[in-house]
Structure formats: structure tokens, C-alpha cells
Amino acid sequence: MVGGDQADLGSPGLVIPKGDTRAAAQAAISESYPEFVRSGIIDVVPGRVIALEDTEEGHVTARVQSAAGEVSIEGIGAVIYATGYAPASAVDFLPEDVKQELHYDSSSDRLPIILSGWQTMVESVPDLAILGFYEGPFWPIVEMQARLTADRWLSKRSVTRRPYEETEKLLDLRKAMHERAFDVPQYWFGDYAGFMEEMASHLQLHRNDGPFSKREGIVSPARYLSTDSDVTQAVAIMQDLHETWHACRDQGRYVPRATFLALQGDWDIHRTIKSALPSFPSGVLDGTASFHPRAPTKDKTGMTFDLEYLYIESGTLVLSNGASMTARRRYVYRYSEAKDTLSVWFVKPDNNLEVDYPFHDLEFVKPAEAAKEGACVAKADHLCVDDMYWTQYRFPFKGISLLKFENTHTVRGPNKDYVATTSFRRAVKHSG
């Protein structure tokens, strides 16, 4: 979810102009979108495409109307129409007299019809049921609306109009939407849990909380059972939800995935090496590092991975004896969804794009310990011939983002005795 002022990503197109209270747009795009913007691979141009035109050279140019005027984007290779859909067309086939009862308005993208009965019906046309005209968590609501409709038609039980579904109130809401009033919420029926509870109460369903306590866990249709429900299936669903919820809350499931995604992009690095052996001098390195996304590659182990970065590091190493040199390093970072693991691999000496063998797997501490540390902490180890590497990572998340992190390698053995600490920090860009 991209929302609010994204000035730190370095794109003028994601900056909220001063005094513009409507500019904090929110859009669900993808997990990797922000870092593609930060790295400059995605260039954001705010505005609306008004035309696509062929050039004499056989290329395509897009004309974009922006707040600053019209601009052109040349060399268009593909166009993705992410324009959403107009819900009014779903009921446009209905007879005119029915549409009149629905207060049909084809110009309204959010509230084209006025319904009651938890947004399933209009009282003057009792044989009509409409499902899915709802903003928010969608499929559980649709399932409960279907159960409500079946009960209304089979039991003939009346459905009273809710106070928030009064026709005049909804027409006023539609008018406010047209006028883009400030008090129109993102979801006009925002109480998802309350909506589900109200329908369940009306249908006289009994609760199936499973291992959850009464006010714990997530809302699901499987928590509400009727006499003809598949109890075995509902219990299994709640058990599965509880196991997943418990694994996330107490065991830290998906923390490796969140960490992997947060690493993407470019970093400034600073490394200090403190050695106890004269033959292995201490030193300081300053440079840059990048986590480049690529399609998962194969290796001799036959293991499969879902996500992969090629890590490229370059910098200047200044040793304690005064010597300096350019230092380069590459690894491959990989994530397995089936195992929920993040691992680091060496690349082949003769082909620094190809995976060779594993360096280490990151073992994340439990959430309770991470809370005490003030950061997600992961540990790893690796035996290199006779020298042992112990590694610790600290990931101080800011929401789902990382602006900095650190790793420390402690190396002991007959050939090495040093501690290397590397700090990674994003260069925060400000635009506009």
C-alpha cells in the first residue's frame, strides 16, 4: 500500500504539494514498487494520459495532462490500462422501472444503486437480490450476503432497514461523493466486523470461535454456523486460521519474507574490521551495495526458491597500515515461501552471476525477543574450512520499510580472528 507523502523515494510525482489536502492518494500496487521508484527504475509522472500517438519513426508517444500542463512521454513499449471498472454496468441490463426503484445513477462509481438489507435488496422489489456492492474486505461479506438472501427467500423472514441504510442518508452520501467532500470515508461501510456480526445475529447463527477467545483473531464466515453448516469444515478452517495467527504473532512467521522485500534497492555502506592478527590487518570500508531483484536461478543442490536478489558491493578499503584498495563482493540472497526462510549464498569465482554454495540461513529471533531488542534480529553461522563465522543481523523496521540495518561477522579460527561490522543506510532523497 502506497499512501501519504512518499518524498523519501526521491520521485517528485509522489510528493504532496503544500496545502493540497487531497494529494495523499493511496493505492495498492505491489510489494516491490517503492524500491523500484527509489532506485529510479520506475519514473513516476503524475497526471492523466489523454492520448497515445504514433510518431513518424514508428514509435508511440503518450500525451499526459498534469497539474503543470501537458507533457509527453516518448518511446512507449507497452500500456497497462489500470483504470478499474464501473460497477454501474453490472446492473445496467435491469428494466428501467427496477432501476428507478434502485435510484440508479450510472455516473456514480462508488454508489450507483441504493440498497438496504445489508446492501442486498430493495424493499419494493422483494424478488431481486444484489450481492457484492460493498467496499472493503469483500468475499466474506459476499458469502454472508448470500446466506442472508437464501434465508430471506426461504424463510420469508423480513429484513429491517438499518439506520445507516436510510435512502435519504445514502443519497446524501452519493452527493458528497460526487462533490468529493472531505468527510467521505475511504470505505463508506467501514465497520467490517460489525457488518458481519449484524448479519450473523439476524440469521441467528451461533459462534464458532474454535481455539480463539471471543474477541480474538480474525473475522471469517466460518465463525458463524447454522444448523445445516458443515461443522467439520468450519472447525478445520478456524483451526488453520488460529495456527497461522499464532505462528505470526508468537513465532514470527513471514518476518523473513518481509525482511527480504525490505532489502531491495541501493544502500550506502560503512564497514569496520577489527583484527587481532597482525597478518590480517584491521581496516575501514566505505562504499555502496545493491540488492538487484532477478528471477530465481537453479543451482547444483536442486533446491527451489521463490524470490532472489543478486547482491553487489563495491567500495574503498583503507587498512590500518595505510594501504588502500578497491574491494568488491557478491552474494545471492534467496527466499523460500514453503520454508519461510531467507538464505545467503556464495557466487562462483569464475562466474559471479551464478550461485555456488550456501553461506548461511538467517534464523530470526521470536517476536517477543525482537520487541525487547527494538529490532528484528537474525543469527547465522558458517564453517569455512577451520574458521568459524558467527553472524548477527539487526533490522530496525519502520513499518514495513528499512532505512538502515546492520550485520556483524565474528570470525575465529587458526587463520582468522576479527570482527567486521557493516552498517547499511539508505540515502534519503527529498523531492519537490
Side-chain angles (χ1 to χ4, degrees):
M1 177 70 79
V2 176
D5 192 338
Q6 304 289 308
D8 66 296
L9 298 181
S11 171
L14 295 176
V15 177
I16 298 177
K18 292 182 179 179
D20 189 347
T21 56
R22 295 187 181 278
Q26 294 186 346
I29 302 175
S30 74
E31 296 171 310
S32 56
Y33 174 83
E35 299 313 323
F36 279 125
V37 173
R38 193 194 306 273
S39 64
I41 296 175
I42 292 178
D43 183 17
V44 179
V45 179
R48 183 181 296 274
V49 176
I50 57 176
L52 295 171
E53 300 173 340
D54 293 322
T55 65
E56 294 180 357
E57 295 79 13
H59 302 302
V60 176
T61 297
R63 289 169 48 206
V64 178
Q65 185 65 50
S66 69
E70 188 174 310
V71 297
S72 295
I73 302 176
E74 300 178 348
I76 302 297
V79 177
I80 301 173
Y81 290 91
T83 54
Y85 65 94
S89 61
V91 293
D92 189 51
F93 69 94
L94 292 172
E96 289 301 321
D97 59 332
V98 174
K99 288 195 285 188
Q100 185 174 352
E101 295 297 323
L102 293 170
H103 296 274
Y104 176 73
D105 182 353
S106 61
S107 67
S108 176
D109 288 334
R110 298 184 63 187
L111 200 56
I113 55 179
I114 304 300
L115 299 171
S116 62
W118 292 281
Q119 297 301 285
T120 63
M121 58 175 286
V122 58
E123 294 163 348
S124 56
V125 191
D127 293 335
L128 175 67
I130 297 178
L131 312 183
F133 276 77
Y134 173 84
E135 293 182 348
F138 192 68
W139 295 113
I141 290 291
V142 172
E143 180 173 335
M144 292 295 280
Q145 287 179 330
R147 294 164 79 172
L148 183 76
T149 299
D151 179 81
R152 177 166 67 88
W153 283 347
L154 294 175
S155 71
K156 304 300 181 181
R157 185 178 354 207
S158 62
V159 178
T160 58
R161 182 182 292 270
R162 319 310 296 171
Y164 49 78
E165 292 181 324
E166 293 177 7
T167 300
E168 291 305 316
K169 287 184 178 179
L170 292 179
L171 289 173
D172 287 343
L173 176 61
R174 177 196 282 172
K175 182 173 181 290
M177 290 173 175
H178 276 300
E179 296 172 350
R180 300 186 68 205
F182 287 108
D183 57 350
V184 176
Q186 182 178 6
Y187 299 129
W188 43 276
F189 281 131
D191 186 9
Y192 161 61
F195 221 55
M196 295 284 285
E197 284 286 331
E198 281 189 354
M199 284 189 279
S201 176
H202 172 80
L203 293 170
Q204 299 178 0
L205 305 179
H206 65 271
R207 287 283 291 270
N208 167 42
D209 293 321
F212 291 108
S213 64
K214 185 176 181 180
R215 300 181 66 83
E216 185 181 60
I218 69 170
V219 178
S220 166
R223 290 188 93 144
Y224 308 101
L225 302 182
S226 64
T227 55
D228 58 351
S229 294
D230 186 336
V231 176
T232 301
Q233 182 67 19
V235 169
I237 290 173
M238 295 308 298
Q239 181 65 40
D240 184 60
L241 289 173
H242 184 267
E243 289 174 0
T244 302
W245 175 79
H246 173 75
C248 293
R249 188 192 69 172
D250 299 331
Q251 304 301 318
R253 182 181 292 183
Y254 305 128
V255 170
R257 180 186 177 93
T259 302
F260 181 92
L261 294 170
L263 293 175
Q264 180 185 337
D266 302 327
W267 301 83
D268 293 329
I269 63 172
H270 175 77
R271 178 176 299 131
T272 59
I273 303 171
K274 297 181 179 179
S275 176
L277 300 178
S279 59
F280 192 98
S282 301
V284 174
L285 178 141
D286 287 290
T288 59
S290 298
F291 292 83
H292 295 276
R294 69 180 190 180
T297 56
K298 296 181 179 180
D299 63 70
K300 58 189 176 185
T301 68
M303 300 170 64
T304 58
F305 295 88
D306 301 281
L307 301 169
E308 185 170 297
Y309 294 133
L310 176 63
Y311 172 86
I312 301 177
E313 173 186 306
S314 178
T316 300
L317 174 62
V318 179
L319 300 177
S320 55
N321 59 16
S324 67
M325 64 192 73
T326 298
R328 295 182 175 87
R329 179 178 294 179
R330 291 192 177 199
Y331 294 109
V332 173
Y333 283 65
R334 310 169 101 179
Y335 173 75
S336 166
E337 186 169 340
K339 298 179 180 179
D340 191 33
T341 55
L342 170 56
S343 56
V344 185
W345 297 63
F346 292 105
V347 295
K348 292 184 176 180
D350 58 343
N351 184 348
N352 60 15
L353 296 176
E354 191 172 340
V355 174
D356 195 358
Y357 60 95
F359 180 17
H360 56 227
D361 293 343
L362 278 69
E363 297 289 339
F364 286 83
V365 302
K366 299 294 189 289
E369 184 177 345
K372 294 179 182 178
E373 292 283 344
C376 289
V377 176
K379 300 177 182 180
D381 57 61
H382 171 77
L383 179 62
C384 180
V385 189
D386 296 324
D387 300 311
M388 191 69 191
Y389 286 68
W390 292 276
T391 302
Q392 177 169 292
Y393 295 82
R394 289 183 59 85
F395 301 106
F397 276 90
K398 184 179 180 182
I400 61 171
S401 300
L402 279 175
L403 299 180
K404 61 181 180 179
F405 71 96
E406 180 181 277
N407 67 35
T408 300
H409 298 293
T410 301
V411 186
R412 298 285 186 269
N415 303 310
K416 299 174 183 176
D417 187 356
Y418 69 89
V419 176
T421 300
T422 306
S423 298
F424 295 74
R425 186 176 296 273
R426 290 201 190 276
V428 179
K429 303 175 183 178
H430 294 284
S431 301

